[in-house]
């Protein structure tokens, strides 16, 4: 079993997510995989924190993962819309634990909306 939540699988199965991120390919990448000339909008994800669910009686049977999601777009309205779709797509599987802010990236001229989702994944 994977040590990382199946985020891409959940996003790629969502009609709403594919409506904003495309379907061939679905523009939802692990951090560092989107290119400077990537079609917009797109989103990336990365592990922000995590921990095994330790117990005194036995080895952990699950892990907690906090995953940062960043939605990028050419304008703030579109970045917020992508973030909202991803929130709705991922929330059945985890819990939003933080709204990390909104940013304008000077080097790429893109708007970014960031949030963190926490998942508990059984081993």
């Amino acid at each position: 079993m994977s040590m990382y939540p199946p985020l891409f699988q959940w996003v790629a199965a969502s009609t709403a997510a594919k409506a904003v991120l495309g379907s061939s390919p679905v523009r939802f990448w692990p951090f560092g995989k989107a290119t400077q000339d990537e079609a917009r909008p797109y989103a990336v994800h990365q592990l922000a924190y995590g921990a095994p669910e330790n117990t005194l009686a036995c080895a952990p049977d699950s892990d907690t993962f906090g995953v940062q999601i960043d939605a990028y777009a050419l304008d703030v309205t579109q970045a917020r819309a992508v973030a909202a779709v991803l929130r709705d797509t991922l929330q059945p599987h985890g819990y939003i634990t933080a709204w990390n802010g909104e940013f304008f990236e000077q080097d790429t001229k893109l708007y970014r909306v960031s949030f963190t989702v926490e998942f508990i994944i059984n081993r």
Side-chain angles (χ1 to χ4, degrees), residues 12-50:
S14 165
T15 302
K18 288 188 293 189
V20 296
L21 296 174
S23 60
S24 185
V26 177
R27 295 183 306 273
F28 183 64
W29 312 111
F31 72 100
K33 293 295 183 182
T35 63
Q36 283 284 75
D37 58 346
E38 192 64 53
R40 276 81 167 158
Y42 67 89
V44 298
H45 55 91
Q46 65 182 326
L47 183 65
Y49 61 87

Side-chain angles (χ1 to χ4, degrees), residues 1 4 21 23 30 33 36-37 40 44 52 56 62 67 84 88 96 107-108 115-117 121-122:
M1 174 169 254
Y4 193 78
L21 296 174
S23 60
K33 293 295 183 182
Q36 283 284 75
D37 58 346
R40 276 81 167 158
V44 298
L56 294 176
S62 63
V67 179
D88 294 347
I96 305 293
D107 55 337
T108 62
F115 64 98
T116 302
V117 188
I121 304 296
N122 291 327

Side-chain angles (χ1 to χ4, degrees), residues 47 49-54 60 62-66 118-121 123:
L47 183 65
Y49 61 87
E53 295 297 318
N54 290 315
S62 63
D63 297 292
T64 298
F65 295 92
E118 192 168 282
F119 303 93
I120 297 174
I121 304 296
R123 291 186 176 186

Side-chain angles (χ1 to χ4, degrees), residues 73-105:
L74 295 171
D75 63 64
V76 68
T77 301
Q78 190 176 48
R80 287 174 178 166
V82 171
V85 166
L86 290 172
R87 173 202 63 202
D88 294 347
T89 299
L90 296 172
Q91 248 179 338
H93 308 284
Y95 302 93
I96 305 293
T97 58
W99 300 108
N100 302 328
E102 299 179 317
F103 310 89
F104 179 72
E105 307 275 333

